[in-house]
């Protein structure tokens, strides 16, 4: 019988030019790894037509230094800093009131947001009821921004979509038309900006101490960006860990953690809460690299450990101490061998 999957010598393999390319930025830890900085730098250096936020809402706080000024974005993708079309994707939830405040804040800092910001029609809305409910949370230590209730209502099929909100109408786009059928762009190149991180992911974090969205590369694809378009996945980590939330995370007997918190300014960009600190977990970074398909890693805040003068890594049951950053980094380069690029960043983000 003829096997339809057998290629005969006379059959031609036709390779089509892919007209979409996507690079992804994901957090390898618990959020606050410096994804904003990495996205901002990639947006500056790349040829992107779009920057798309693919998950989360205004629970996120991405700190970005642009031309010497500090900005904290919550919903708005970092493309606006370079005049790149910036889309809040269908995987996100939006608080319209907070979004307008954020637009005003960036515009008053000299950034033209209104010409570039779009919102997918099928992104969901965070309502006042969601915020009121979330503000009562005591168990998870949420950001109290209404994020969890908004996603719950989306999945319960009783949510409100962005297309239903009159004040957003100027910015609403159909995600399919925007990226797959857009006469404005011959070839679409998307930078996908993730929020939160692997340790907070709804499926991969330590449930229930998680956020309510998909923070991994998986979350990109459901925004209409096909897996075949993905070129690079940038995983962002810090050389130590921080976590904000209700679970007990920090080992109180470790004196270096207070120093790291203070020297590293480890206080929430959204809520101002002190972040709990721990040493780098190599285990977690390795798992996160595999699950996300990461091929490039940035370890931020290497300068903070230089200043503190202590370096330690947890690896399963083992814990390794190092005398200097060189030994510390060599260990990482040796043991975390999957990515083709690992960068240790000491730049204090003020670029
Ligand atoms: P929620 O996303 O507000 O529901 O919070 C759930 C958990 O995720 C809490 O532990 C929050 O502190 C944490 N979280 C949510 N967004 C961020 C973020 O952008 N950075 C760090 N932690 C976050
Ligand atoms: Mg943050």
């Amino acid at each position: 019988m003829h096997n339809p999957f057998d290629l005969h010598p006379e059959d031609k393999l036709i390779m089509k030019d892919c007209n979409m390319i996507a690079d992804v930025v994901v957090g390898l830890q618990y959020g606050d790894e410096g994804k904003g900085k990495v996205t901002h730098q990639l947006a500056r250096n790349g040829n992107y037509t779009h920057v798309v936020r693919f998950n989360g809402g205004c629970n996120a706080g991405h700190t970005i230094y642009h031309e010497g000024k500090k900005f904290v974005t919550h919903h708005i993708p970092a493309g606006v800093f370079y005049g790149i079309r910036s889309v809040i994707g269908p995987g996100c939830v939006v608080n319209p009131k907070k979004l307008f405040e954020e637009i005003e804040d960036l515009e008053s800092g000299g950034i033209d947001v209104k010409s570039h910001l779009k919102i997918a029609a099928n992104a969901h809305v965070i309502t006042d009821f969601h915020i009121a409910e979330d503000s009562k949370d005591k168990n998870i230590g949420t950001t109290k921004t209404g994020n969890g209730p908004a996603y719950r209502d989306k999945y319960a099929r009783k949510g409100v979509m962005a297309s239903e909100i009159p004040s957003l109408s100027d910015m609403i786009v159909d995600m399919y038309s925007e990226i797959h059928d857009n006469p404005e762009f011959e070839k679409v190149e998307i930078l996908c900006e993730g929020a939160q991180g692997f340790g907070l992911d709804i499926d991969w974090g330590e449930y229930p101490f998680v956020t309510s969205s998909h923070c991994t590369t998986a979350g990109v694809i459901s925004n209409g960006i096909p897996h075949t378009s993905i070129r690079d996945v940038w995983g962002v980590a810090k050389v130590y860990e921080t976590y904000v939330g209700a679970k007990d995370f920090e080992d109180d007997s470790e004196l270096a953690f207070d120093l790291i918190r203070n020297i590293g300014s480890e206080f929430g960009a959204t809520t101002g809460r002190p972040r709990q600190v721990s040493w780098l977990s190599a285990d977690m970074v390795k798992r996160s690299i595999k699950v996300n398909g990461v091929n490039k890693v940035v370890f931020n805040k290497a300068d903070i450990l230089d200043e503190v003068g202590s370096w330690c890594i947890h690896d399963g049951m083992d814990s390794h101490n190092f005398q200097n950053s060189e030994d510390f980094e060599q260990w990482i380069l040796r043991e975390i061998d999957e990515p083709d690029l690992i960068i240790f960043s000491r730049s204090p983000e003020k670029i």
Side-chain angles (χ1 to χ4, degrees):
M1 206 177 78
H2 175 67
N3 177 351
F5 298 106
D6 269 349
L7 277 177
H8 293 270
E10 61 272 24
D11 290 342
K12 283 204 184 91
L13 265 178
I14 299 172
M15 298 291 282
K16 286 205 172 150
D17 213 19
C18 175
N19 67 347
M20 186 186 286
I21 285 176
D23 292 332
V24 178
V25 178
V26 288
L28 301 181
Q29 295 161 322
Y30 300 90
D32 306 317
E33 303 95 343
K35 292 179 295 296
K37 179 178 91 169
V38 172
T39 312
H40 180 250
Q41 288 195 19
L42 289 173
R44 177 177 58 193
N45 298 334
N47 291 313
Y48 300 106
T49 55
H50 294 77
V51 179
V52 173
R53 257 290 294 279
F54 62 85
N55 75 298
C58 53
N59 49 352
H62 291 177
T63 305
I64 289 170
Y65 287 88
H66 183 75
E67 294 173 354
K69 272 191 213 151
K70 180 182 174 176
F71 296 91
V72 180
T73 60
H74 300 286
H75 304 88
I76 300 177
V80 294
F81 293 97
Y82 295 106
I84 303 170
R85 180 77 57 91
S86 294
V87 187
I88 299 174
C92 298
V93 289
V94 182
N95 173 336
K97 187 166 163 272
K98 288 268 175 227
L99 177 67
F100 283 110
E101 284 172 16
E102 196 182 331
I103 294 172
E104 282 314 307
D105 189 44
L106 295 193
E107 294 247 341
S108 68
I111 310 299
D112 176 8
V113 178
K114 288 180 184 144
S115 311
H116 308 293
L117 182 64
K118 303 288 171 197
I119 305 167
N122 50 343
H124 271 249
V125 171
I126 300 172
T127 67
D128 291 343
F129 293 108
H130 295 146
I131 298 165
E133 182 183 340
D134 198 20
S135 67
K136 295 189 201 116
D137 161 75
K138 291 207 169 59
N139 302 324
I140 310 298
T142 73
T143 56
K144 305 200 189 306
T145 52
N147 191 72
Y151 278 108
R152 181 204 55 214
D153 282 355
K154 167 178 170 167
Y155 287 102
R157 291 158 297 171
K158 54 184 189 184
V160 179
M161 295 208 290
S163 57
E164 297 173 56
I165 305 297
S167 62
L168 299 179
S169 64
D170 286 352
M171 293 182 273
I172 296 293
V173 291
D174 170 66
M175 193 67 179
Y176 182 86
S177 313
E178 181 58 38
I179 61 173
H180 290 285
D181 190 18
N182 192 335
E184 277 181 69
F185 304 102
E186 199 175 314
K187 184 172 176 154
V188 169
E189 287 200 32
I190 306 174
L191 181 59
C192 306
E193 179 175 352
Q196 291 87 41
F198 186 74
L200 294 173
D201 179 77
I202 184 77
D203 292 316
W204 291 96
E206 193 187 324
Y207 194 90
F209 299 104
V210 293
T211 191
S212 298
S213 69
H214 298 286
C215 315
T216 63
T217 307
V220 169
I221 293 157
S222 56
N223 281 252
I225 299 164
H227 74 98
T228 44
S229 67
I230 295 176
R231 177 176 57 189
D232 289 328
V233 181
W234 290 81
V236 187
K238 286 191 288 212
V239 290
Y240 52 86
E241 288 182 348
T242 61
Y243 160 83
V244 239
K247 77 175 169 186
D248 208 7
F249 183 77
E250 184 168 317
D251 175 356
D252 295 334
S253 64
E254 180 61 81
L255 297 174
F257 293 160
D258 248 340
L259 279 176
I260 292 176
R261 184 167 25 251
N262 290 321
I263 297 173
S265 314
E266 296 296 354
F267 297 87
T270 301
T271 59
R273 291 179 290 177
R275 297 170 181 154
Q276 299 186 62
V277 179
S278 189
W279 295 118
L280 180 72
S281 160
D283 246 16
M284 175 168 195
V285 168
K286 286 182 204 167
R287 285 163 67 91
S288 181
I289 285 172
K290 281 194 195 288
V291 169
N292 281 297
V294 165
N295 64 334
K296 302 197 181 327
V297 177
V298 179
F299 280 101
N300 279 318
K301 297 228 169 172
D303 53 317
I304 304 303
L305 290 192
D306 293 349
E307 218 171 308
V308 172
S310 305
W311 297 266
C312 182
I313 296 176
H314 290 165
D315 185 30
M317 289 290 137
D318 297 332
S319 145
H320 306 280
N321 284 286
F322 303 89
Q323 294 308 309
N324 54 56
S325 62
E326 208 175 304
D327 294 350
F328 173 83
E329 289 170 18
Q330 283 306 323
W331 189 95
I332 292 174
L333 291 172
R334 200 171 57 244
E335 297 295 325
I336 302 181
D337 55 0
E338 210 131 317
D340 51 49
L341 177 73
I342 295 185
I343 295 169
F344 293 95
S345 172
R346 301 191 138 67
S347 69
E349 16 244 292
K350 295 186 175 79
I351 307 164

